[in-house]
């Protein structure tokens, strides 16, 4: 992991320099990219250029600015398919949303009920982000009011690592399993949840909806390899402006996704920024971004493992930087054994480190389950990780 940092530093430094908010505050270390990522100058320029040269509504005019905006929206749909390595773009669809939460709700509200009959079962995660649990429970409640009883089964987890447990899933999934919701990269544990194992267990006919909020923009996401039916992600976590997101829908298993209600004005400026963000990510290389952030996360977990005052959440076997166990993808979450997460967050900010300190919207957690989450991106540096470790060591 240290070799990757040394090899990639000449690549990373000029990329970091393209983030005005990062370079404009050298006294601060932004370590909360899982909540929202910062934006490179190219994205800021794309939004300003669109707003000052061709801002208009999409699909509602015949003059050049409106035509340009309509073409932009359609072009970015195809750009998203390309970014996700769609092997059959002619038979898939992309729907824009305000983010991953709205995207998951759209699938649950406007698509899932048309798939299910009385007595069917769905399998969903009970310890991932709340946004990937609440919509499925709500859909089951709405169907129950219509006399359609759907059993919601819990996607099982491995006790030690927090990864999905494929052996236990084989006992949960059955002949009435009609749908599975899963997460690509866990927003607390930072682990790749190995969704390909789910497909192997449930078979070729069960639709899978993937929450890719913490993977899109952080590592290569290939629907060609994942064999899922929906990929939902937030633009603002992938270097794009807030208020943007998308649902990629394969349309091969189950009914076609048709978002309900009147489709009003899309976030056209955000879509312009999303296109620029995808171009920037492709040019930088999401494979190299993954190597960089994985190496930084390994440096952090290795340092934390040497401090008795801290408990790192997730797989304990992956803490040593030399471990062969699957590494954490850009996210490391931990607790101090004597200082509350809330207080630790304030203390770290006094040292110049911006981290998240709460329950991280994890389903099934309560007020006493707070922790500190450090989340990294392409602009994060080994010096920031080392400085954070030094600050944490002073609190042992």
């Amino acid at each position: 992991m240290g070799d990757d940092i040394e090899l990639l530093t000449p690549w990373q430094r000029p990329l970091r320099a393209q983030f005005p908010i990062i370079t404009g505050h050298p006294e601060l270390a932004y370590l909360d990219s899982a909540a929202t990522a910062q934006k490179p100058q190219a994205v800021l320029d794309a939004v300003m250029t669109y707003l000052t040269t061709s801002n208009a509504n999409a699909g509602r005019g015949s003059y050049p600015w409106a035509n340009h905006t309509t073409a932009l929206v359609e072009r970015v749909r195809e750009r998203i398919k390309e970014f996700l390595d769609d092997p059959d773009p002619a038979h898939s669809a992309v729907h824009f949303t305000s983010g991953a939460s709205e995207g998951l709700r759209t699938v649950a509200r406007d698509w899932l009920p048309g798939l299910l009959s009385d007595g069917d079962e769905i399998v969903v995660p009970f310890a991932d982000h709340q946004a990937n649990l609440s919509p499925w429970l709500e859909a089951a409640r709405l169907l129950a009011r219509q006399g359609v009883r759907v059993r919601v089964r819990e996607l099982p987890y491995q006790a030690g690592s927090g990864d999905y447990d494929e052996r236990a899933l084989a006992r949960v999934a059955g002949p009435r399993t009609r749908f599975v919701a899963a997460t690509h990269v866990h927003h607390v544990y930072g682990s790749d949840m190995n969704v390909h194992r789910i497909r192997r267990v449930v078979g070729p006919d069960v639709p899978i909806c993937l929450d890719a909020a913490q993977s899109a923009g952080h590592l290569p996401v290939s629907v060609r390899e994942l064999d899922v039916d929906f990929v939902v992600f937030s633009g603002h976590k992938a270097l794009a402006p807030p208020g943007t997101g998308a649902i990629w829908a394969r349309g091969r298993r189950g009914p076609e996704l048709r978002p309900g209600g009147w489709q009003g004005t899309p976030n056209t400026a955000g879509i312009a920024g999303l296109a620029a963000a995808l171009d920037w990510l492709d040019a930088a290389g999401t494979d190299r971004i993954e190597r960089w952030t994985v190496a930084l996360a390994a440096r952090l977990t290795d340092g934390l493992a040497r401090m008795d005052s801290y408990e790192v959440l997730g797989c304990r076997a992956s803490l040593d930087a030399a471990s062969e166990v699957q590494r954490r993808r850009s996210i490391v979450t931990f607790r101090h054994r004597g200082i509350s997460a809330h207080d630790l967050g304030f203390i770290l900010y006094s040292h110049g480190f911006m981290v998240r300190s709460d329950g991280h919207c994890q389903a099934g957690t309560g007020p006493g389950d707070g922790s500190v989450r450090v989340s990294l991106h392409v602009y994060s540096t080994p010096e920031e990780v080392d400085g954070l470790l030094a600050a944490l060591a002073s609190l042992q």
Side-chain angles (χ1 to χ4, degrees), residues 8 58 113 120 172 322 326-327 360 385:
L8 291 173
D120 284 343
V172 170
Q326 175 183 267
R327 305 305 315 184
H360 318 299
V385 170

Side-chain angles (χ1 to χ4, degrees), residues 8 11 218 220 282-293 378:
L8 291 173
W11 159 84
H218 294 78
D282 273 346
T286 51
D287 56 336
R288 285 177 289 184
I289 292 173
E290 179 185 23
R291 285 172 57 196
W292 180 256
T293 56
V378 64

